[in-house]
Amino acid sequence: MATIDYGGTQYVLQDGESVLDGLLRQGAEVPHSCRKGSCHACVLQAMAGDIPAEAQDGLKETLRAQGYFKACCCRPAGDLAIALADPDDRVAASLTRIEWVSPTVIRVRLTPSPPIEYHPGQFVTLVREDGLARSYSIASLPEESALELHVRCLPKGRMSQWLAREARPGTWVQLGRASGDCFYLPGDPEQPLLLAGTGTGLAPLYGIARDALAQGHTGPVWLFHGAGDRHGLYLEDALAALSERHENFFYVPSVRRGPAPPGIEIGELGDGIRSAFPSLRGWKAYVCGNPEIVSTLRKQLFMAGVASRAIHFDSFLPAAA
Ligand SMILES: Cc1cc2nc3c(=O)[nH]c(=O)nc-3n(C[C@H](O)[C@H](O)[C@H](O)COP(=O)(O)OP(=O)(O)OC[C@H]3O[C@@H](n4cnc5c(N)ncnc54)[C@H](O)[C@@H]3O)c2cc1C
Ligand code: FES
């Protein structure tokens, strides 16, 4: 049984228990959300002891070297001394604008102070004053004045309902470091790019597409956005305008259920991609949103010829109960 020194208090883990589960069971406060290693909300820093490699998966090399680890994935073999991640890793951010862009999605703009470094398409953990933490993908470009997030409002969603109904311009939250490797990297400006996602999976794709175009990508950039029905689509005008400004950008909205006006396809997102591009050999792909759809699309894209290392993805795993 490992003993964890967390801020000077000792916590004993049960056999096979993660650091996060053990600390929460014994009443400690640790920010967390998915409990599955995806959202990075639970990142802590080890001051002494050995961290299992899987607890550092997906963290940048510089953070791994400083002992950062994901508490929900950490089942240590021996004792650890750990602390909350460096307070400098969090910045205060003021909400500047919250607007409905569809019946279920709000666009949230924030101004972090000081500004944070990020690539469009990465995600940040947003932490409310009471410690509630949720991760959201970044739709804005660094050169824009505000950070832009798209939040799907769930009927009983603690963070999403608070953002939509209670938070106001001027409300302060905290933001963690930007994480994740779902972003555009220049280097092969002619490579065809396929961006696909459902619902607010559009947020990172909107950021990645605009970032690629802003960095002079000359190959085709296809963005397939799917939704359950017509009301699930949003930013259609902005995306149509983007395709008018860039002859190599193509926007394909689709819904699973009709009716839908001309220009919007009806059917499964993956079927639409497959009929447009039976072979995707040599493409790079970005897939974001609902975890089941992301998993299905990754398989379909791989079967269509996209190399697995060329498929970047973020699954929007919900917070654990
Ligand atoms: C890497 C990453 C990036 C993410 N990016 C985004 C993003 O850009 N935009 C965005 O809107 N979300 C994103 N999410 C999801 C987000 O972090 C929250 O999980 C989501 O907003 C719900 O939080 P909540 O507090 O509103 O709801 P909660 O209070 O956590 O959940 C309320 C209820 O809704 C259920 N629920 C939660 N999620 C879903 C779901 N997807 N479908 C159906 N029921 C659900 C819960 O089980 C619970 O019963 C991302 C998640 C990850 C891990
Ligand atoms: S990565 Fe640990 S709670 Fe999400």
Side-chain angles (χ1 to χ4, degrees):
M1 280 187 302
T3 298
I4 309 297
D5 180 319
Y6 178 48
T9 305
Q10 312 295 310
Y11 299 88
V12 178
L13 298 187
Q14 294 173 348
D15 282 344
E17 194 174 39
S18 73
V19 169
L20 179 67
D21 287 346
L23 293 183
L24 294 177
R25 178 177 54 76
Q26 295 168 77
E29 288 189 3
V30 188
H32 62 280
S33 181
C34 71
R35 294 200 188 192
K36 286 188 178 155
S38 285
C39 73
H40 297 193
C42 66
V43 168
L44 298 176
Q45 190 174 15
M47 321 314 270
D50 291 331
I51 298 296
E54 63 271 18
Q56 297 190 310
D57 268 0
L59 298 183
K60 282 202 301 195
E61 182 52 46
T62 48
L63 297 181
R64 290 206 294 262
Q66 293 172 70
Y68 285 78
F69 68 98
K70 296 180 283 184
C72 66
C73 305
C74 182
R75 291 174 178 76
D79 298 346
L80 294 178
I82 61 172
L84 272 177
D86 185 340
D88 289 347
D89 286 346
R90 293 252 187 100
V91 301
S94 161
L95 298 173
T96 50
R97 192 162 175 205
I98 303 167
E99 62 186 317
W100 290 94
V101 288
S102 85
T104 53
V105 176
I106 51 172
R107 171 150 68 174
V108 177
R109 290 200 171 95
L110 318 96
T111 311
S113 172
I116 61 168
E117 285 182 18
Y118 69 89
H119 295 285
Q122 287 190 296
F123 59 88
V124 283
T125 301
L126 188 152
V127 187
R128 207 169 63 176
E129 195 179 13
D130 63 358
L132 184 73
R134 295 287 183 266
S135 298
Y136 295 103
S137 303
I138 305 175
S140 48
L141 307 185
E143 55 269 32
E144 293 171 340
S145 57
L147 196 73
E148 174 178 329
L149 313 175
H150 302 165
V151 178
R152 175 183 169 206
C153 294
L154 296 163
K156 293 190 177 163
R158 281 166 290 167
M159 183 65 90
S160 55
Q161 287 297 330
W162 176 76
L163 285 167
R165 320 262 171 215
E166 292 178 47
R168 294 279 172 268
T171 300
W172 287 87
V173 294
Q174 286 198 313
L175 292 178
R177 284 172 188 265
S179 304
D181 59 4
C182 199
F183 57 84
Y184 177 74
L185 270 181
D188 191 352
E190 292 172 13
Q191 185 175 29
L193 304 182
L194 184 122
L195 284 57
T198 52
T200 47
L202 179 62
L205 305 179
Y206 185 58
I208 293 164
R210 293 187 308 134
D211 192 29
L213 296 169
Q215 295 202 47
H217 196 85
T218 52
V221 180
W222 283 80
L223 194 162
F224 288 81
H225 184 214
D229 63 28
R230 173 82 185 74
H231 302 294
L233 296 172
Y234 65 96
L235 295 191
E236 294 153 273
D237 290 348
L239 287 159
L242 196 63
S243 60
E244 275 174 24
R245 285 202 303 278
H246 296 273
E247 59 182 19
N248 60 329
F249 175 69
F250 307 93
Y251 164 55
V252 185
S254 67
V255 292
R256 292 178 79 189
R257 297 176 298 279
I264 296 179
E265 298 189 357
I266 300 176
E268 297 293 335
L269 186 61
D271 294 343
I273 296 171
R274 201 167 18 210
S275 67
F277 299 106
S279 169
L280 290 164
R281 199 167 297 279
W283 287 56
K284 182 180 279 191
Y286 297 89
V287 188
C288 300
N290 175 292
E292 288 81 35
I293 295 175
V294 166
S295 166
T296 304
L297 283 174
R298 284 175 60 204
K299 284 182 205 139
Q300 290 176 344
L301 294 175
F302 178 72
M303 296 309 287
V306 187
S308 58
R309 68 176 179 287
I311 305 176
H312 301 264
F313 64 96
D314 264 332
S315 294
F316 291 2
L317 283 181

